[in-house]
Amino acid sequence: MRIITCDTYEELSKKAAKIVASQITLKPDSVLGLATGSTPVGMYSALAKLCKRGELDFSEVKTFNLDEYYPISKANKQSYDYFMRKNLFSKINIKNENVHIPNGETTDPKKECEDYEKQIKASGGIDLQVLGIGQNGHIGFNEPDASLNSYTHLANLSENTISANSRFFDTPSEVPKQAMTMGISTILNAKKIILLASGANKRRVVSELINGGINTSIPATMLKTHPDVTLICDKDAYIGAKLGIDIGGTNIKVAVIDSDKVVYKCHFKTGATEEKILSSLIEKIKSINASFNITTVGIGTPGIIKNGKVTSANLPFSDTPLQSIIAKETGLCTTVDNDANCAALGEVVFGNTKDCENIVLVTLGTGIGGGIIMHRQILHSNNNMGEIGHFVIQAENGRPCKCGQHGCWEQYCSMTAFIKDAKQLALENPDSILFGMIKNDKLSGKDIFKAIDCGCEVAQKVFDRYVRYLALGINSLVNIFGPDAVVLAGGVTEQGDKLLNPLKRLIKNDIRIEISDLQNDAGALGAAML
Ligand code: GLP
């Protein structure tokens, strides 16, 4: 099934009309299968315009409508006969004898259905079938059922359909309880099918159609057995809520985004084993999906991800097929990426650099992490990339790093390194204010800044050196990636201008340096946008 997504209903109508028009242009005596409902109205109006301008000729075209209420008189404004004449046939040059709609006035609906099926066959079969979709997944009036009728038949309408279609009638009791409809096989016999879906009330069924299997409880899923089906939907029908998950060593953060707004946030403890993490994720996703109608799940996790499998030093994941497990257990389209990549994506979509095309995110924490966004997409390779904490900034006598190299940037600019350096210098200067800040052999980042505020030269010296190293790394990143902005996150960035002002003086080319306004939320938000 091909999927065409459109921003608006108008765009959907134009695209659908273009497909129908091309069909008629290429085969002027095409047999069209037509649908009613509010969705194809815009397409019919676009086709009528083309015909009026002389750009489309319906004189040889034959049409067969999908369905008609039973019983109903043709004069009834709610009959599909009336609908088709009003919205299309009265506006185009189609011959009356080429128009076919099941006759809702017949006294013998069974024979009417059999004859209708024969007429379709005699016409050579349907070249292009246009379909809408009911909120319960019906096509034509083929309602969800344990087994589906194959050919044109008299169908009982479900309560759901009667209620959905009652909007066209004065009272729900006026909606006919039955209809004649092409069967699933009649529809599948068409050479080509386009299915139109518009509006938020179609979201759930479109998501089930895209993500789910083939099931008679959603009749439209039968279309997945046809080789040439195009689903054309507008943004409202296609984009449901997005679920983003950021798996951290201590907590798992969750964010739900609907229509570009964060509608729900929560966090829970990260389990100690692979099994516990997976079962808690599945349970959470299922319960959130029940309330928010999720279409996609994005997961950020530390570690290396290859083909959806995760291996992480910080989590009990070793070649864990996270993506396929979550997709299988929840039935939702799932994507997995590195957590720092997700955070960078979160920054460029929701953060204070959302006006940028290209950014580099640098997280200054226990280590240094980062993600690179180019043209608003995560920069990926087939190998582990974006490990910006591990480029070497001190070639000679560089500090040893757990990655096996010496002189890695994170050995100088992580919070761990900053505090370690400060403590060492404080111990070398026992008369300094900074030394007095050490309590129980411990010093915090905040203590260093407190000491600076009290005029401590030792603390100032450590900080100046830290900023020089930070600028060294950032300047290299700027040289390599040429971003519009570099975003900094992590505990030290709480200092705001105290960090930014001296840093900016050392950064080349006036490149924009921002402190993340999302901080720890960026990962889950970005994961949702994967
Ligand atoms: C009716 C028609 C269907 C149509 C459905 C959706 O039930 N029998 O063919 O797809 O309505 O209508 P709408 O496009 O108004 O949502």
mmCIF file of all heavy atoms in Angstrom, residues 206-238:
data_model
loop_
_atom_site.group_PDB
_atom_site.id
_atom_site.type_symbol
_atom_site.label_atom_id
_atom_site.label_comp_id
_atom_site.label_asym_id
_atom_site.label_seq_id
_atom_site.Cartn_x
_atom_site.Cartn_y
_atom_site.Cartn_z
ATOM 1 N N VAL A 206 -6.946 4.805 10.554
ATOM 2 C CA VAL A 206 -5.816 4.904 9.619
ATOM 3 C C VAL A 206 -4.572 4.285 10.259
ATOM 4 O O VAL A 206 -3.834 3.533 9.610
ATOM 5 C CB VAL A 206 -5.564 6.380 9.204
ATOM 6 C CG1 VAL A 206 -4.213 6.544 8.527
ATOM 7 C CG2 VAL A 206 -6.667 6.849 8.268
ATOM 8 N N SER A 207 -4.375 4.559 11.546
ATOM 9 C CA SER A 207 -3.218 3.987 12.231
ATOM 10 C C SER A 207 -3.320 2.462 12.273
ATOM 11 O O SER A 207 -2.344 1.751 12.041
ATOM 12 C CB SER A 207 -3.132 4.592 13.632
ATOM 13 O OG SER A 207 -2.575 3.696 14.515
ATOM 14 N N GLU A 208 -4.536 1.938 12.520
ATOM 15 C CA GLU A 208 -4.715 0.483 12.538
ATOM 16 C C GLU A 208 -4.505 -0.107 11.143
ATOM 17 O O GLU A 208 -3.945 -1.180 10.991
ATOM 18 C CB GLU A 208 -6.103 0.118 13.077
ATOM 19 C CG GLU A 208 -6.119 0.158 14.594
ATOM 20 C CD GLU A 208 -7.508 0.135 15.200
ATOM 21 O OE1 GLU A 208 -8.493 0.168 14.456
ATOM 22 O OE2 GLU A 208 -7.592 0.094 16.446
ATOM 23 N N LEU A 209 -4.938 0.635 10.139
ATOM 24 C CA LEU A 209 -4.765 0.176 8.759
ATOM 25 C C LEU A 209 -3.276 0.112 8.410
ATOM 26 O O LEU A 209 -2.805 -0.859 7.805
ATOM 27 C CB LEU A 209 -5.505 1.135 7.816
ATOM 28 C CG LEU A 209 -5.366 0.887 6.316
ATOM 29 C CD1 LEU A 209 -5.928 -0.467 5.939
ATOM 30 C CD2 LEU A 209 -6.096 1.974 5.528
ATOM 31 N N ILE A 210 -2.534 1.129 8.812
ATOM 32 C CA ILE A 210 -1.109 1.173 8.468
ATOM 33 C C ILE A 210 -0.318 0.162 9.304
ATOM 34 O O ILE A 210 0.484 -0.600 8.780
ATOM 35 C CB ILE A 210 -0.530 2.595 8.667
ATOM 36 C CG1 ILE A 210 -1.198 3.565 7.697
ATOM 37 C CG2 ILE A 210 0.984 2.608 8.457
ATOM 38 C CD1 ILE A 210 -0.862 5.023 7.941
ATOM 39 N N ASN A 211 -0.582 0.165 10.601
ATOM 40 C CA ASN A 211 0.277 -0.627 11.504
ATOM 41 C C ASN A 211 -0.201 -2.061 11.723
ATOM 42 O O ASN A 211 0.588 -2.931 12.060
ATOM 43 C CB ASN A 211 0.366 0.050 12.874
ATOM 44 C CG ASN A 211 1.079 1.383 12.806
ATOM 45 O OD1 ASN A 211 2.192 1.445 12.307
ATOM 46 N ND2 ASN A 211 0.458 2.431 13.281
ATOM 47 N N GLY A 212 -1.512 -2.286 11.574
ATOM 48 C CA GLY A 212 -2.049 -3.591 11.964
ATOM 49 C C GLY A 212 -1.998 -4.623 10.864
ATOM 50 O O GLY A 212 -1.537 -4.378 9.742
ATOM 51 N N GLY A 213 -2.483 -5.816 11.196
ATOM 52 C CA GLY A 213 -2.518 -6.904 10.225
ATOM 53 C C GLY A 213 -3.824 -6.875 9.442
ATOM 54 O O GLY A 213 -4.570 -5.896 9.480
ATOM 55 N N ILE A 214 -4.102 -7.986 8.742
ATOM 56 C CA ILE A 214 -5.334 -8.085 7.948
ATOM 57 C C ILE A 214 -6.380 -8.762 8.815
ATOM 58 O O ILE A 214 -6.143 -9.853 9.326
ATOM 59 C CB ILE A 214 -5.052 -8.895 6.663
ATOM 60 C CG1 ILE A 214 -4.008 -8.143 5.817
ATOM 61 C CG2 ILE A 214 -6.324 -9.152 5.876
ATOM 62 C CD1 ILE A 214 -3.471 -8.932 4.656
ATOM 63 N N ASN A 215 -7.526 -8.085 8.990
ATOM 64 C CA ASN A 215 -8.482 -8.549 9.975
ATOM 65 C C ASN A 215 -9.888 -8.123 9.565
ATOM 66 O O ASN A 215 -10.106 -6.950 9.258
ATOM 67 C CB ASN A 215 -8.098 -7.864 11.302
ATOM 68 C CG ASN A 215 -8.815 -8.466 12.463
ATOM 69 O OD1 ASN A 215 -9.957 -8.894 12.348
ATOM 70 N ND2 ASN A 215 -8.131 -8.503 13.590
ATOM 71 N N THR A 216 -10.845 -9.062 9.574
ATOM 72 C CA THR A 216 -12.203 -8.701 9.128
ATOM 73 C C THR A 216 -12.882 -7.721 10.082
ATOM 74 O O THR A 216 -13.892 -7.127 9.739
ATOM 75 C CB THR A 216 -13.102 -9.957 8.991
ATOM 76 O OG1 THR A 216 -13.135 -10.621 10.254
ATOM 77 C CG2 THR A 216 -12.602 -10.895 7.916
ATOM 78 N N SER A 217 -12.304 -7.542 11.292
ATOM 79 C CA SER A 217 -12.916 -6.570 12.200
ATOM 80 C C SER A 217 -12.589 -5.139 11.757
ATOM 81 O O SER A 217 -13.168 -4.181 12.255
ATOM 82 C CB SER A 217 -12.459 -6.803 13.635
ATOM 83 O OG SER A 217 -11.083 -6.593 13.712
ATOM 84 N N ILE A 218 -11.624 -4.990 10.842
ATOM 85 C CA ILE A 218 -11.379 -3.689 10.194
ATOM 86 C C ILE A 218 -11.366 -3.991 8.687
ATOM 87 O O ILE A 218 -10.311 -4.272 8.103
ATOM 88 C CB ILE A 218 -10.047 -3.062 10.655
ATOM 89 C CG1 ILE A 218 -10.068 -2.930 12.175
ATOM 90 C CG2 ILE A 218 -9.811 -1.696 10.005
ATOM 91 C CD1 ILE A 218 -8.758 -2.553 12.776
ATOM 92 N N PRO A 219 -12.544 -3.960 8.062
ATOM 93 C CA PRO A 219 -12.631 -4.427 6.674
ATOM 94 C C PRO A 219 -11.615 -3.781 5.723
ATOM 95 O O PRO A 219 -11.125 -4.426 4.796
ATOM 96 C CB PRO A 219 -14.068 -4.084 6.283
ATOM 97 C CG PRO A 219 -14.811 -4.136 7.576
ATOM 98 C CD PRO A 219 -13.867 -3.601 8.605
ATOM 99 N N ALA A 220 -11.261 -2.492 5.977
ATOM 100 C CA ALA A 220 -10.317 -1.821 5.071
ATOM 101 C C ALA A 220 -8.963 -2.533 5.016
ATOM 102 O O ALA A 220 -8.225 -2.401 4.031
ATOM 103 C CB ALA A 220 -10.122 -0.371 5.500
ATOM 104 N N THR A 221 -8.619 -3.304 6.052
ATOM 105 C CA THR A 221 -7.310 -3.983 6.036
ATOM 106 C C THR A 221 -7.244 -5.047 4.939
ATOM 107 O O THR A 221 -6.161 -5.469 4.554
ATOM 108 C CB THR A 221 -6.972 -4.634 7.392
ATOM 109 O OG1 THR A 221 -7.996 -5.593 7.699
ATOM 110 C CG2 THR A 221 -6.867 -3.626 8.510
ATOM 111 N N MET A 222 -8.424 -5.460 4.408
ATOM 112 C CA MET A 222 -8.449 -6.420 3.287
ATOM 113 C C MET A 222 -7.739 -5.826 2.063
ATOM 114 O O MET A 222 -7.245 -6.537 1.209
ATOM 115 C CB MET A 222 -9.899 -6.745 2.888
ATOM 116 C CG MET A 222 -10.681 -7.404 3.958
ATOM 117 S SD MET A 222 -10.022 -9.027 4.297
ATOM 118 C CE MET A 222 -10.316 -9.141 6.024
ATOM 119 N N LEU A 223 -7.717 -4.492 2.021
ATOM 120 C CA LEU A 223 -7.071 -3.826 0.881
ATOM 121 C C LEU A 223 -5.583 -4.139 0.816
ATOM 122 O O LEU A 223 -4.952 -3.982 -0.218
ATOM 123 C CB LEU A 223 -7.272 -2.302 0.971
ATOM 124 C CG LEU A 223 -8.731 -1.822 0.934
ATOM 125 C CD1 LEU A 223 -8.795 -0.339 1.207
ATOM 126 C CD2 LEU A 223 -9.359 -2.151 -0.416
ATOM 127 N N LYS A 224 -5.033 -4.578 1.950
ATOM 128 C CA LYS A 224 -3.593 -4.893 1.963
ATOM 129 C C LYS A 224 -3.263 -6.093 1.081
ATOM 130 O O LYS A 224 -2.104 -6.356 0.817
ATOM 131 C CB LYS A 224 -3.136 -5.169 3.398
ATOM 132 C CG LYS A 224 -3.107 -3.918 4.253
ATOM 133 C CD LYS A 224 -2.543 -4.222 5.613
ATOM 134 C CE LYS A 224 -2.124 -2.953 6.325
ATOM 135 N NZ LYS A 224 -1.427 -3.211 7.553
ATOM 136 N N THR A 225 -4.304 -6.836 0.666
ATOM 137 C CA THR A 225 -4.042 -7.985 -0.212
ATOM 138 C C THR A 225 -4.041 -7.556 -1.680
ATOM 139 O O THR A 225 -3.799 -8.366 -2.563
ATOM 140 C CB THR A 225 -5.126 -9.076 -0.026
ATOM 141 O OG1 THR A 225 -6.389 -8.522 -0.417
ATOM 142 C CG2 THR A 225 -5.198 -9.555 1.412
ATOM 143 N N HIS A 226 -4.357 -6.282 -1.943
ATOM 144 C CA HIS A 226 -4.435 -5.797 -3.333
ATOM 145 C C HIS A 226 -3.093 -5.191 -3.735
ATOM 146 O O HIS A 226 -2.463 -4.487 -2.942
ATOM 147 C CB HIS A 226 -5.556 -4.751 -3.421
ATOM 148 C CG HIS A 226 -5.915 -4.379 -4.827
ATOM 149 N ND1 HIS A 226 -5.129 -3.534 -5.578
ATOM 150 C CD2 HIS A 226 -6.951 -4.737 -5.614
ATOM 151 C CE1 HIS A 226 -5.693 -3.386 -6.782
ATOM 152 N NE2 HIS A 226 -6.805 -4.120 -6.820
ATOM 153 N N PRO A 227 -2.649 -5.444 -4.974
ATOM 154 C CA PRO A 227 -1.304 -4.950 -5.348
ATOM 155 C C PRO A 227 -1.214 -3.464 -5.647
ATOM 156 O O PRO A 227 -0.115 -2.914 -5.719
ATOM 157 C CB PRO A 227 -0.975 -5.761 -6.613
ATOM 158 C CG PRO A 227 -2.303 -6.157 -7.170
ATOM 159 C CD PRO A 227 -3.243 -6.283 -6.007
ATOM 160 N N ASP A 228 -2.340 -2.778 -5.854
ATOM 161 C CA ASP A 228 -2.231 -1.374 -6.267
ATOM 162 C C ASP A 228 -3.213 -0.484 -5.496
ATOM 163 O O ASP A 228 -4.240 -0.058 -6.023
ATOM 164 C CB ASP A 228 -2.458 -1.268 -7.787
ATOM 165 C CG ASP A 228 -2.084 0.103 -8.332
ATOM 166 O OD1 ASP A 228 -1.803 1.010 -7.522
ATOM 167 O OD2 ASP A 228 -2.084 0.278 -9.562
ATOM 168 N N VAL A 229 -2.892 -0.254 -4.233
ATOM 169 C CA VAL A 229 -3.745 0.593 -3.390
ATOM 170 C C VAL A 229 -2.939 1.809 -2.945
ATOM 171 O O VAL A 229 -1.791 1.677 -2.513
ATOM 172 C CB VAL A 229 -4.229 -0.163 -2.129
ATOM 173 C CG1 VAL A 229 -5.061 0.757 -1.238
ATOM 174 C CG2 VAL A 229 -5.048 -1.377 -2.518
ATOM 175 N N THR A 230 -3.535 2.987 -3.079
ATOM 176 C CA THR A 230 -2.888 4.203 -2.573
ATOM 177 C C THR A 230 -3.790 4.842 -1.531
ATOM 178 O O THR A 230 -4.957 5.141 -1.813
ATOM 179 C CB THR A 230 -2.635 5.204 -3.728
ATOM 180 O OG1 THR A 230 -1.888 4.524 -4.737
ATOM 181 C CG2 THR A 230 -1.840 6.412 -3.252
ATOM 182 N N LEU A 231 -3.241 4.997 -0.341
ATOM 183 C CA LEU A 231 -3.978 5.679 0.729
ATOM 184 C C LEU A 231 -3.577 7.154 0.679
ATOM 185 O O LEU A 231 -2.384 7.477 0.739
ATOM 186 C CB LEU A 231 -3.595 5.057 2.077
ATOM 187 C CG LEU A 231 -3.981 5.824 3.337
ATOM 188 C CD1 LEU A 231 -5.490 5.904 3.496
ATOM 189 C CD2 LEU A 231 -3.374 5.154 4.568
ATOM 190 N N ILE A 232 -4.551 8.023 0.517
ATOM 191 C CA ILE A 232 -4.254 9.468 0.506
ATOM 192 C C ILE A 232 -4.915 10.066 1.737
ATOM 193 O O ILE A 232 -6.141 9.993 1.881
ATOM 194 C CB ILE A 232 -4.804 10.161 -0.761
ATOM 195 C CG1 ILE A 232 -4.408 9.364 -2.010
ATOM 196 C CG2 ILE A 232 -4.280 11.587 -0.876
ATOM 197 C CD1 ILE A 232 -5.037 9.890 -3.290
ATOM 198 N N CYS A 233 -4.115 10.611 2.635
ATOM 199 C CA CYS A 233 -4.754 11.155 3.834
ATOM 200 C C CYS A 233 -4.191 12.528 4.177
ATOM 201 O O CYS A 233 -3.071 12.864 3.803
ATOM 202 C CB CYS A 233 -4.617 10.218 5.020
ATOM 203 S SG CYS A 233 -3.055 9.458 5.191
ATOM 204 N N ASP A 234 -5.002 13.303 4.861
ATOM 205 C CA ASP A 234 -4.509 14.601 5.309
ATOM 206 C C ASP A 234 -3.852 14.429 6.680
ATOM 207 O O ASP A 234 -3.963 13.369 7.313
ATOM 208 C CB ASP A 234 -5.590 15.685 5.279
ATOM 209 C CG ASP A 234 -6.758 15.410 6.209
ATOM 210 O OD1 ASP A 234 -6.656 14.500 7.049
ATOM 211 O OD2 ASP A 234 -7.780 16.100 6.084
ATOM 212 N N LYS A 235 -3.166 15.497 7.090
ATOM 213 C CA LYS A 235 -2.376 15.470 8.318
ATOM 214 C C LYS A 235 -3.209 15.021 9.528
ATOM 215 O O LYS A 235 -2.769 14.214 10.329
ATOM 216 C CB LYS A 235 -1.864 16.891 8.578
ATOM 217 C CG LYS A 235 -0.448 16.962 9.056
ATOM 218 C CD LYS A 235 -0.079 18.420 9.121
ATOM 219 C CE LYS A 235 1.309 18.603 9.668
ATOM 220 N NZ LYS A 235 1.685 20.012 9.686
ATOM 221 N N ASP A 236 -4.438 15.531 9.615
ATOM 222 C CA ASP A 236 -5.276 15.212 10.777
ATOM 223 C C ASP A 236 -5.560 13.715 10.866
ATOM 224 O O ASP A 236 -5.642 13.152 11.949
ATOM 225 C CB ASP A 236 -6.611 15.958 10.702
ATOM 226 C CG ASP A 236 -6.435 17.433 10.991
ATOM 227 O OD1 ASP A 236 -5.366 17.796 11.513
ATOM 228 O OD2 ASP A 236 -7.354 18.203 10.683
ATOM 229 N N ALA A 237 -5.730 13.081 9.718
ATOM 230 C CA ALA A 237 -6.060 11.647 9.730
ATOM 231 C C ALA A 237 -4.823 10.805 9.971
ATOM 232 O O ALA A 237 -4.906 9.697 10.484
ATOM 233 C CB ALA A 237 -6.693 11.252 8.408
ATOM 234 N N TYR A 238 -3.682 11.329 9.581
ATOM 235 C CA TYR A 238 -2.475 10.505 9.601
ATOM 236 C C TYR A 238 -1.644 10.694 10.863
ATOM 237 O O TYR A 238 -1.127 9.743 11.426
ATOM 238 C CB TYR A 238 -1.633 10.849 8.377
ATOM 239 C CG TYR A 238 -0.353 10.074 8.271
ATOM 240 C CD1 TYR A 238 -0.399 8.705 8.030
ATOM 241 C CD2 TYR A 238 0.883 10.690 8.408
ATOM 242 C CE1 TYR A 238 0.773 7.973 7.920
ATOM 243 C CE2 TYR A 238 2.054 9.970 8.297
ATOM 244 C CZ TYR A 238 1.997 8.613 8.046
ATOM 245 O OH TYR A 238 3.142 7.900 7.944
#
